[in-house]
Amino acid sequence: MPASSSGSTPDASVTTRSHTRSRAQIGMDAPRVIVETHLAGGLPGTTLVGLPATAVREARDRVRSALQNCGFDYPRGKVIINLAPADLAKEGGRFDLAIAISILRATGQITPEAPRTFDYEFLGELSLNGELRYTRGCLCAALHLDAGDRLVVPWANLAEARLARDQILPVGHLQDVVNLLRMAPAERDLEPTPPSVGTAVDPAARPQVADPIIGQSAAKRAIAVAAVGGHHLLLIGPPGAGKSLLSRRLPLLLPSLDTRRAMEVAAVYSAAGLSLENPSEPPIRDPHHSASMTAMVGGGSQPRPGEISLAHQGVLFLDELPHFKPSVLDALREPLENRRIAIARATGQVAFPANFQLIAAMNPCPAGLTCEQGTCRCRPDQVQRYQSRISGPLLDRVDLHVGVPEVPGRLLLEGLPPEAEAHSIREQIAKARRIQITRQRCFNSELPVRALERLVTLDAGARRMLDRAMERYRLSARGLHRVLRVARSIADLESAEGGESTQVGLPHLAEALSYRGMEWSGKGAAH
């Protein structure tokens, strides 16, 4: 039961203080915030200091209503609430619960002598009747807990918070938190009753591709190679050839994420205020070509992850690639190389992980359905202008450039092909990935140059072929290393198929070079 009002309104000459702990959200980081409450008496009023944003300042009204509607007394004198450290910007409603507990402790409605109260950290937004709502970044806060501490979060955040540790207490209502702190230590293993109305954010449904793919054996092979090593892939062909269908099939071929990678993905979505239906499945992001720079790379006054970070450990699919703004496409260059994105603001820099696999699709020219090889209505300058929207440095970072020709009508009329081989391909890809992790603790696309020199040894014939290809295709040093990584993935896929360790040889190198043989000129892209 709530404490009497005598404990909530101290004498004007008495100073009552208390403090609780919470967590802010700065990118993927969750710095600790100490919520201090000072009841100094005097004229009624609540002052909230510590660099609070508008949503934090509004916590005064939310907390007052929540306490009163739960039957607790709100101090009738002067209340000063400090969010320390003072130079750290605070935003959102995440501090509501910590402020409410701090006030209850300061007024004696929760005794300061409650057992190990300071070992708890509180995170959650309060409704006016005391229910706790979904709060962004709970998993990030859980990952920063000290040993022995416990994090009290809204029940709606249970799924993501439980991914981090078992030291998580999910609650649905402010009264549950008060009852929890009043329990004897031996009774605190009991979990509070979940709220009657769920407040979790609806998870975004993963796209499921069930349509079979007719023909396109070369493109299917390229997708399998890309899935094995985590390589970036660009599909080029006329409309209706199956580029989008092939691209959306790739995430379904990827094996489930291990615990560490699933935790990274869930933390990014938690920082963005989104939830995942299944964190162990590689995410796929499919932004429209009208996406802005901020939507793609992240940002805002309080930076949040963008599409490239939401695709971390998964696939970023960009359909109709030339229709994206060139500035947006060029912003992908650094994340493709560094596998992270750093967003600089006047108040500091925030970094998000961005280890994604880029899958893109485009037409060879802007003519659309009227465009056929040899009879294209597009002028060379139109084709060149269309293709030049994709910069050379971005293309150089894409490992596989694959042509997707139009499917002959006779194949379409023969009926749908059997899809039984999809399961075996998925098993081979998973086995090839296990080979890489066992051998080098990373995927082939992440191999550093020194490790690449050790794992890819070429004989004299392969070196001669590579020398001629570098001159013909004008491969940069980056392009050369990417060819060698793809060759290593092709050899690993062969090992998964045959069950024996395979060294990189001339056939593997020839196939890897074929994926860099796309001609980019004013006359169209073709092999």
Side-chain angles (χ1 to χ4, degrees):
M1 293 293 294
S4 63
S5 60
S6 60
S8 64
T9 309
D11 186 83
S13 62
V14 177
T15 300
T16 307
R17 303 180 182 89
S18 72
H19 58 273
T20 58
R21 294 189 295 179
S22 186
R23 294 276 173 176
Q25 183 72 36
I26 307 295
M28 298 294 295
D29 196 14
R32 177 180 292 166
V33 172
I34 305 298
V35 180
E36 301 174 313
T37 299
H38 178 199
L39 305 181
L43 295 176
T46 301
T47 302
L48 190 60
V49 297
L51 209 58
T54 301
V56 182
R57 288 196 296 269
E58 292 172 347
R60 295 174 296 188
D61 299 319
R62 289 194 299 271
V63 171
R64 179 193 294 270
S65 297
L67 290 176
Q68 293 176 344
N69 288 330
C70 290
F72 299 106
D73 293 325
Y74 193 84
R76 292 194 290 269
K78 181 69 173 178
V79 181
I80 300 176
I81 301 171
N82 179 41
L83 306 178
D87 59 347
L88 177 67
K90 323 296 190 308
E91 58 94 19
R94 58 194 306 109
F95 304 106
D96 290 4
L97 179 59
I99 292 173
I101 297 301
S102 181
I103 291 175
L104 291 175
R105 293 185 62 204
T107 57
Q109 298 177 80
I110 299 178
T111 59
E113 293 77 17
R116 294 193 302 276
T117 302
F118 193 69
D119 292 339
Y120 288 88
E121 296 187 3
F122 302 91
L123 203 63
E125 176 185 341
L126 285 171
S127 68
L128 297 185
N129 64 356
E131 288 188 356
L132 286 169
R133 293 197 172 103
Y134 180 90
T135 302
R136 180 174 70 94
C138 282
L139 180 56
C140 298
L143 293 174
H144 288 80
L145 276 180
D146 294 335
D149 287 353
R150 309 190 79 177
L151 181 66
V152 178
V153 301
W155 190 272
N157 293 93
L158 172 63
E160 65 179 55
R162 279 279 174 85
L163 289 172
R165 302 182 184 181
D166 294 331
Q167 296 172 305
I168 306 298
L169 290 175
V171 294
H173 199 277
L174 174 61
Q175 186 66 60
D176 292 334
V177 183
V178 175
N179 294 339
L180 182 71
L181 296 178
R182 290 173 175 172
M183 288 181 183
E187 301 174 346
R188 293 186 181 181
D189 291 334
L190 300 175
E191 291 186 348
T193 304
S196 57
V197 179
T199 55
V201 175
D202 292 332
R206 287 194 65 200
Q208 299 294 327
V209 180
D211 297 332
I213 301 174
I214 300 176
Q216 306 298 2
S217 57
K220 290 178 182 177
R221 169 68 176 182
I223 284 179
V225 172
V228 165
H231 303 289
H232 308 305
L233 172 67
L234 173 62
L235 299 177
I236 307 172
K243 302 185 299 297
S244 300
L245 189 61
L246 285 163
S247 301
R248 291 189 172 93
R249 179 62 59 89
L250 186 142
L252 304 179
L253 299 177
L254 299 178
S256 298
L257 302 176
D258 57 26
T259 302
R260 179 182 65 83
R261 288 182 169 84
M263 191 90 64
E264 293 176 358
V265 172
V268 173
Y269 274 73
S270 177
L274 303 174
S275 60
L276 282 172
E277 184 177 0
N278 187 355
S280 64
E281 293 297 322
I284 176 173
R285 304 297 297 184
D286 185 5
H288 190 259
H289 64 258
S290 61
S292 65
M293 177 81 74
T294 302
M296 189 67 69
V297 304
S301 58
Q302 295 292 333
R304 296 194 183 190
E307 292 291 335
I308 62 174
S309 295
L310 294 173
H312 180 61
Q313 301 296 350
V315 173
L316 177 65
F317 174 48
L318 302 183
D319 203 2
E320 303 295 345
L321 187 66
H323 291 279
F324 283 82
K325 296 178 182 178
S327 59
V328 172
L329 294 180
D330 286 336
L332 299 176
R333 287 155 56 175
E334 292 90 342
L336 286 174
E337 196 73 19
N338 303 328
R339 304 183 185 278
R340 64 188 292 272
I341 180 71
I343 301 174
R345 293 290 182 267
T347 56
Q349 189 180 81
V350 173
F352 295 108
N355 187 7
F356 62 93
Q357 188 173 356
L358 175 64
I359 308 297
M362 62 174 288
N363 299 327
C365 68
L369 291 173
T370 64
C371 181
E372 297 179 2
Q373 189 171 0
T375 61
C376 180
R377 75 178 187 184
C378 299
R379 299 190 309 271
D381 62 306
Q382 291 177 312
V383 178
Q384 187 174 16
R385 186 163 54 250
Y386 181 78
Q387 294 181 1
S388 65
R389 293 177 63 87
I390 308 169
S391 65
L394 177 60
L395 287 174
D396 196 38
R397 288 166 166 82
V398 178
D399 305 84
L400 294 85
H401 305 166
V402 181
V404 183
E406 187 176 359
V407 180
R410 59 179 179 81
L411 290 180
L412 297 174
L413 296 176
E414 287 178 358
L416 300 178
E419 290 294 306
E421 71 273 8
H423 181 69
S424 61
I425 290 294
R426 189 180 294 108
E427 289 183 344
Q428 292 170 8
I429 291 172
K431 184 176 180 181
R433 286 195 159 209
R434 288 194 297 268
I435 292 173
Q436 298 170 49
I437 296 298
T438 302
R439 181 182 61 217
Q440 65 217 24
R441 299 181 183 275
C442 66
F443 298 129
N444 289 331
S445 61
E446 305 169 2
L447 274 174
V449 176
R450 286 189 176 275
L452 190 62
E453 295 173 351
R454 175 174 54 86
L455 295 173
V456 181
T457 56
L458 304 176
D459 57 20
R463 287 182 178 274
R464 286 194 297 270
M465 174 188 286
L466 194 57
D467 289 338
R468 292 194 299 269
M470 288 186 65
E471 183 175 353
R472 177 180 176 182
Y473 301 137
R474 297 181 180 179
L475 292 178
S476 64
R478 180 191 293 115
L480 171 63
H481 294 149
R482 291 184 179 274
V483 167
L484 295 178
R485 293 186 182 102
V486 172
R488 180 68 264 177
S489 294
I490 296 171
D492 290 336
L493 183 57
E494 183 177 322
S495 299
E497 294 171 350
E500 297 181 1
S501 177
T502 305
Q503 298 296 324
V504 176
L506 190 62
H508 310 126
L509 183 61
E511 183 178 352
L513 285 170
S514 71
Y515 296 131
R516 303 286 294 198
M518 188 73 66
E519 296 179 4
W520 293 91
S521 65
K523 298 179 181 179
H527 274 298

